[in-house]
Amino acid sequence: MFQQAIDTVRAKGHAPSRYGNFIGGRWVEPIRGEYFTDHSPINGRQLAEIAKSSPEDVEAALDAAHRAKEGWARMAPAERAKILNCVADRLEENLELLALAETMDNGKPIRETRGADVPLAIDHFRYFAGCVRAEEGAISTIDDKTIAYHFREPLGVVGQIIPWNFPLLMAAWKIAPALAAGNCTVIKPASQTPLSLLLFAELTADILPPGVVNIVTGPGASVGRAIAANPRIAKVSFTGETTTGRQIMGYAAEHLIPQTMELGGKSPNIFLADVMNEDDSFLDKALEGFALFAFNKGEVCTCPSRALVHESIFDRFVERAVARVGAIRVGDPLDPLTQMGAQASEDQLHKILGYIDIGKQEGAECLTGGQRAVREASSTTASSSSPPCLSATTRCGFSRRRFLGRSCR
């Protein structure tokens, strides 16, 4: 199944074994000539070699973006909308290709990439193609001799940094509104999951004018900082972990660069005694909400990584909830029946298993799951674990930590 998927991506997506950066509408080798390997979390197989970029590559991307910004900004909104719709159409034509790439690179189930991630990314371009047609300025009358005009103008060149949990969808969330508003972008995907965005560049290279979208891959410590701290960036948008977000904000603040941050947080669900007054659809929905921590393998900042259950119903509710979690099907992400696939990376898996060990050391009891899941002999390197539920009091420090991954309670 995996070999067929990777063959499809390479053939239909014209995916090479080595990717440079996408700068000025073409593929460019990294200036320092360095690369890193992108492995699939499904089985550890190599997907491609990816440019390990440097601040010099970011400068080259900014050069291309600044060359393109005037022409793109002057383009009529109707024309920009037409291009965004063309992008959406091209992505829709290649939905299966992008879904396969996203699943192989991130480990999330193919049922989610086919049914949610890629369709929502497509819709985002269509949505903002419509928004830009309806965008208007305003006029305010100050007095009989004074009128204030309010114009909405592009910022110019923006920097965008995306995480590994929704690689293509997060890219669409950032690229589509930026382009609709008349901006050009330099965007960096997460090093764990660059493949779908690189395929996006290849698929849309003949649609988007050169320099409008520039993709630079590589480590966040150097490439991300080079984007966020660069005075030629008009705005920075970052989605990711809170500590990294603070760093990005600090880099941008050196040049008073505006920022948009989408950061993580602790996300408890509270279940009070009345949820078990009746064995009805409301209780079923509450149990579904409990099990939602496993959505996207727990790799969502809004997944409920804690459940605070009233002590009067604790035993009865947890028994039902653990049974619901135990029914989640863990398996090959390329199998349409799989509900939970592999973590985005081996590092992420070890982090989760480490947190489970910490919880046990602090007195938490593991009620189900919590161990590495080995599906078959050919997939022993898969970064998968069974969904865990841990029981602890609120005095346990473990219960107050934030997790991004197959979260525990």
Side-chain angles (χ1 to χ4, degrees):
M1 197 177 297
F2 184 88
Q3 188 59 50
Q4 182 180 358
I6 198 169
D7 289 343
T8 298
V9 169
R10 287 173 176 167
K12 294 186 177 181
H14 306 289
S17 59
R18 172 179 284 185
Y19 276 101
N21 292 309
F22 188 75
I23 297 175
R26 62 190 183 91
W27 297 104
V28 179
E29 299 301 311
I31 292 173
R32 297 183 185 177
E34 297 179 347
Y35 294 84
F36 66 93
T37 301
D38 181 25
H39 295 280
S40 173
I42 296 176
N43 53 19
R45 289 269 302 273
Q46 177 175 323
L47 296 174
E49 289 186 321
I50 308 295
K52 185 179 179 181
S53 304
S54 63
E56 294 91 334
D57 295 294
V58 173
E59 291 296 336
L62 285 170
D63 289 342
H66 277 275
R67 286 193 297 269
K69 73 173 185 178
E70 295 300 330
W72 183 249
R74 287 198 303 267
M75 184 180 292
E79 287 301 310
R80 287 203 302 271
K82 182 179 178 181
I83 290 175
L84 292 180
N85 277 319
C86 287
V87 169
D89 292 342
R90 181 66 57 82
L91 298 183
E92 190 166 48
E93 292 165 5
N94 292 275
L95 190 153
E96 179 66 11
L97 167 70
L98 292 166
L100 288 172
E102 196 80 319
T103 291
M104 287 194 300
D105 206 19
N106 172 275
K108 64 176 66 187
I110 191 70
R111 60 186 282 170
E112 293 180 10
T113 55
R114 281 176 180 158
D117 293 50
V118 181
L120 289 172
I122 293 166
D123 185 65
H124 215 62
F125 281 93
R126 290 188 174 134
Y127 175 83
F128 279 98
C131 285
V132 70
R133 296 294 302 272
E135 189 63 51
E136 296 177 345
I139 298 176
S140 299
T141 301
I142 308 302
D143 55 40
D144 61 343
K145 296 180 180 179
T146 310
I147 294 176
Y149 293 89
H150 302 267
F151 299 98
R152 299 186 184 273
E153 298 177 324
L155 292 171
V157 176
V158 298
Q160 302 175 323
I161 303 170
I162 58 176
W164 40 257
N165 55 341
F166 289 91
L168 184 63
L169 183 56
M170 287 287 185
W173 282 8
K174 295 189 186 301
I175 293 173
L179 266 56
N183 300 294
C184 297
T185 181
V186 174
I187 185 168
K188 189 196 93 66
S191 295
Q192 297 91 335
T193 54
L195 185 58
S196 58
L197 184 55
L198 297 173
L199 284 172
F200 169 91
E202 181 68 36
L203 291 171
T204 60
D206 63 331
I207 299 174
L208 294 169
V212 171
V213 172
N214 305 275
I215 302 170
V216 182
T217 56
S222 55
V223 177
R225 180 171 186 168
I227 291 173
N230 200 297
R232 294 203 287 164
I233 291 285
K235 184 175 182 179
V236 175
S237 177
F238 170 81
T239 299
E241 195 265 336
T242 303
T243 302
T244 306
R246 289 194 188 101
Q247 294 175 336
I248 295 293
M249 293 176 73
Y251 301 149
E254 293 177 10
H255 298 286
L256 300 179
I257 301 171
Q259 315 114 31
T260 297
M261 297 282 131
E262 183 190 6
L263 309 178
K266 199 66 177 169
S267 45
N269 277 356
I270 301 174
F271 299 94
L272 300 178
D274 60 353
V275 301
M276 296 203 74
N277 284 349
E278 301 287 343
D279 191 352
D280 56 8
S281 60
F282 181 78
L283 174 58
D284 190 63
K285 182 60 68 174
L287 294 169
E288 180 184 328
F290 181 99
L292 192 63
F293 79 90
F295 169 61
N296 198 50
K297 309 166 292 170
E299 296 171 355
V300 188
C301 58
T302 54
C303 276
S305 54
R306 285 188 296 170
L308 305 180
V309 183
H310 194 276
E311 60 184 357
S312 67
I313 63 166
F314 184 85
D315 291 337
R316 291 182 296 139
F317 182 85
V318 169
E319 182 182 4
R320 296 279 295 271
V322 168
R324 175 67 68 91
V325 172
I328 295 172
R329 179 167 177 165
V330 181
D332 185 347
L334 290 166
D335 183 345
L337 297 179
T338 293
Q339 296 173 293
M340 179 177 286
Q343 290 295 316
S345 68
E346 187 77 2
D347 287 345
Q348 184 66 15
L349 174 64
H350 286 305
K351 182 183 294 186
I352 294 166
L353 296 177
Y355 278 134
I356 293 172
D357 287 340
I358 291 172
K360 291 177 180 178
Q361 292 167 16
E362 294 182 353
E365 178 188 1
C366 189
L367 303 177
T368 185
Q371 67 279 345
R372 185 169 191 147
V374 179
R375 296 188 305 274
E376 55 186 73
S378 62
S379 301
T380 54
T381 58
S383 301
S384 302
S385 72
S386 54
C389 293
L390 277 77
S391 172
T393 69
T394 54
R395 299 184 187 92
C396 178
F398 168 83
S399 70
R400 296 189 296 274
R401 293 188 182 93
R402 177 191 179 251
F403 308 99
L404 186 67
R406 202 157 291 148
S407 306
C408 316
R409 300 160 186 268

